[in-house]
Amino acid sequence: MISRREFSAAFGAPMLAGAGQAQSQQQEKLPPQPGDETREGRMKWWHDAKFGMFIHWGLYSVLGRREWVLEQEAIPISEYEQLAKRFTPQPNVARQWAKLAKRAGQKYMVMTTKHHEGFCLFDSKLTDYCAPKQACGRDLVREYVEAARAEGLRVGFYYSLMDWHHPDGEICLKDEAARKRFVAYIHGQVRELLTNYGKIDILWYDVAHPLTAEGWESERMNRMAFELQPDIIVNNRNRLPGDFGTPEQRITEEARAWESCMTLNGSWGYCRTDDDWKPARTVIRNLAVCSRGGGNYLLNIGPRADGSVPEPSVQILNQVGAWLDRNGKSIYGTDRCRMRYSEMAGFTRRVNTLYLQVHYWDGETLSIPGLEAKALSARLLATGEKLTFKQDQFRLLFTGLPVTPPDDPVTVIEVECDREPTQMDRLLVRGRPHRRSV
């Protein structure tokens, strides 16, 4: 199966996985962009939130063979359009998603308003190929927005620039008249989304094939977005830097704001045969790694065509949410952490407080190498139980720990330090003097 990254490479476009380091370096050389002057204030809530829900949902959900099925199986457009007659979701499914996101500890949601297939889940005056004008008969984006707000969650819109359904979607690269028509259509739909649904918090572009930033008139598009929604946050997938980078299916720390988007199994859109689910332990570890590097974690669900969420997704997210109820202090609102290496644990921090996410609990002792700050106190975050430790130049050693892990699936230890916790270079730790005990 061709991945998004392979598709990108085949057509000579920047990596679809988003802002890799090379792309970030290129973007840093660009002149000032729309939104630069207000970015710090607009991004504050997002940096604190850390964890969001991604939702891929569309006509492809009817077939249950992933979101690229139209392209991958070379289905004729006229045949694919018939799926709109079968796309009739149950009432109030978005409420179920929003409640699940809240239980999972996710602070914002991003839903596909239009994926590459071109079918719009919102009411558009620019096309009849949208849910309200087809068998569904409902504005699914409005239902989603209302559901997210009812649960106190921030609202994000995913919108694919690439469009396999629009007649100008491919020829726009070589036909200037077609480009103008297609860009007017895309800009017009972005305007509809940012005008008709109240305050929107995130605009999440995707796949800028086949045009350049100049071809998409991306700077004008972003300027329009900020005029319509002054507090909105915009990603980097319209060939401009935007407010944050978007590494896909990997965690790649960047100097700027970034968000790693990942699937819960191996598929974005619903795939009935994909049972390669990430366990809750892996989700928690990924979330902590993103938080340590100053990034966010956008984790996807792929509902069925009727809107129901596959049971493994629900179970995993409920487990993660229960863990965050006890240990959310180690994730939400944390700062970049310069602690990096341990065979047993990961790290996050808030100012001078260090959090150890112990993924491998090995019994009565735990050693953390190279902590340069002085540890003042330590406790189990979930229970508040104080812990005994000793510290020298090369390690922080906890003793008298419970034999079995106190928390599941990951135990967190909170360590108060006298300054920002940093870690000695690994080579210096390895080069410490070895002394025999007497």
Side-chain angles (χ1 to χ4, degrees):
M1 177 175 179
I2 299 173
S3 69
R4 296 182 183 194
R5 190 175 305 173
E6 290 166 340
F7 177 88
S8 166
F11 286 93
M15 187 180 295
L16 301 186
Q21 292 179 345
Q23 190 177 349
S24 293
Q25 290 169 358
Q26 292 172 0
Q27 291 172 343
E28 288 169 3
K29 299 176 184 177
L30 291 174
Q33 299 294 312
D36 283 353
E37 66 284 353
T38 61
R39 180 167 297 115
E40 183 176 354
R42 288 184 291 107
M43 297 285 288
K44 176 63 169 65
W45 73 264
W46 185 89
H47 283 296
D48 289 342
K50 299 299 181 188
F51 194 24
M53 174 181 280
F54 214 176
I55 305 162
H56 277 66
W57 195 42
L59 298 187
Y60 45 84
S61 307
V62 176
L63 297 178
R65 298 195 296 274
R66 297 191 172 119
E67 72 290 346
W68 277 61
V69 63
L70 168 61
E71 185 76 2
Q72 298 296 340
E73 299 185 12
I75 301 173
I77 292 292
S78 58
E79 178 183 327
Y80 193 86
E81 288 175 334
Q82 302 308 307
L83 296 175
K85 298 176 182 178
R86 299 163 55 190
F87 187 64
T88 53
Q90 299 172 357
N92 301 318
V93 291
R95 291 291 177 93
Q96 298 171 25
W97 305 340
K99 290 179 183 297
L100 175 61
K102 189 166 186 177
R103 289 199 307 273
Q106 293 163 314
K107 303 299 185 182
Y108 60 99
M109 303 173 74
V110 179
M111 186 184 80
T112 51
T113 62
K114 176 179 76 76
H115 203 261
H116 317 326
E117 65 181 6
F119 185 74
C120 303
L121 301 187
F122 59 98
D123 192 6
S124 177
K125 293 181 179 179
L126 302 177
T127 182
D128 290 337
Y129 199 51
C130 60
K133 299 176 184 177
Q134 299 292 326
C136 174
R138 290 150 46 202
D139 187 333
L140 300 175
V141 167
R142 187 169 301 282
E143 293 179 12
Y144 153 72
V145 170
E146 291 173 354
R149 289 180 182 147
E151 296 300 325
L153 303 174
R154 297 276 186 161
V155 176
F157 286 166
Y158 166 110
Y159 182 82
S160 173
L161 301 177
M162 181 170 70
D163 192 318
W164 295 325
H165 183 267
H166 195 285
D168 294 324
E170 281 295 330
I171 65 173
C172 61
L173 182 61
K174 298 181 179 179
D175 183 325
E176 178 60 14
R179 186 198 69 81
K180 289 181 178 179
R181 289 192 301 268
F182 187 47
V183 168
Y185 175 78
I186 296 297
H187 282 227
Q189 288 204 324
V190 172
R191 179 176 290 277
E192 287 179 327
L193 286 167
L194 299 186
T195 301
N196 297 336
Y197 298 94
K199 187 176 186 298
I200 304 304
D201 300 291
I202 302 168
L203 177 57
W204 216 98
Y205 299 117
D206 198 18
V207 187
H209 173 80
L211 300 174
T212 63
E214 292 74 19
W216 287 112
E217 302 178 34
S218 294
E219 192 167 327
R220 181 169 69 88
M221 184 157 49
N222 280 5
R223 191 175 299 111
M224 173 184 67
F226 290 122
E227 289 172 357
L228 295 172
Q229 299 278 345
D231 296 324
I232 202 166
I233 296 168
V234 177
N235 78 348
N236 67 331
R237 294 198 180 190
N238 68 343
R239 308 254 199 247
L240 293 181
D243 294 312
F244 63 97
T246 53
E248 181 173 318
Q249 297 287 45
R250 70 184 193 276
I251 298 175
T252 305
E253 183 177 338
E254 302 179 13
R256 65 189 304 235
W258 59 279
E259 173 190 73
S260 176
C261 58
M262 282 192 190
T263 53
L264 250 179
N265 52 6
S267 308
W268 295 102
Y270 173 59
C271 182
R272 64 172 55 87
T273 58
D274 186 351
D275 60 358
D276 188 20
W277 300 100
K278 293 177 177 66
R281 176 191 295 271
T282 297
V283 172
I284 291 167
R285 186 168 192 165
N286 288 343
L287 176 58
V289 172
C290 289
S291 300
R292 181 193 69 187
N296 283 20
Y297 191 39
L298 185 63
L299 188 62
N300 183 73
I301 61 170
R304 302 180 182 95
D306 65 2
S308 61
V309 179
E311 289 73 17
S313 294
V314 176
Q315 294 167 5
I316 294 163
L317 289 174
N318 282 340
Q319 283 182 276
V320 172
W323 182 87
L324 282 167
D325 285 343
R326 301 185 297 273
N327 298 288
K329 190 178 179 182
S330 72
I331 300 295
Y332 304 123
T334 51
D335 306 304
R336 285 183 186 260
C337 181
R338 291 190 282 169
M339 298 284 292
R340 280 296 184 266
Y341 60 91
S342 166
E343 293 293 326
M344 312 303 286
F347 307 99
T348 56
R349 87 170 169 96
R350 176 182 284 100
V351 193
N352 294 343
T353 302
L354 178 66
Y355 299 97
L356 313 178
Q357 287 90 20
V358 186
H359 303 289
Y360 304 105
W361 190 271
D362 193 38
E364 298 181 353
T365 63
L366 173 68
S367 179
I368 300 299
L371 177 63
E372 294 179 306
K374 181 180 178 181
L376 303 176
S377 64
R379 68 184 184 105
L380 293 174
L381 187 57
T383 65
E385 179 185 347
K386 292 184 179 181
L387 300 179
T388 301
F389 63 90
K390 55 186 177 181
Q391 183 180 14
D392 61 26
Q393 180 183 357
F394 298 104
R395 69 171 179 169
L396 174 66
L397 178 64
F398 296 94
T399 59
L401 298 174
V403 174
T404 58
D407 202 356
D408 181 65
V410 177
T411 298
V412 179
I413 296 175
E414 180 184 73
V415 182
E416 295 291 345
C417 300
D418 67 340
R419 54 192 169 94
E420 179 185 338
T422 56
Q423 199 166 28
M424 183 182 297
D425 185 275
R426 192 182 302 220
L427 293 177
L428 294 178
V429 175
R430 287 175 179 168
R432 69 195 181 282
H434 293 270
R435 296 177 181 174
R436 296 180 183 273
S437 58
V438 295

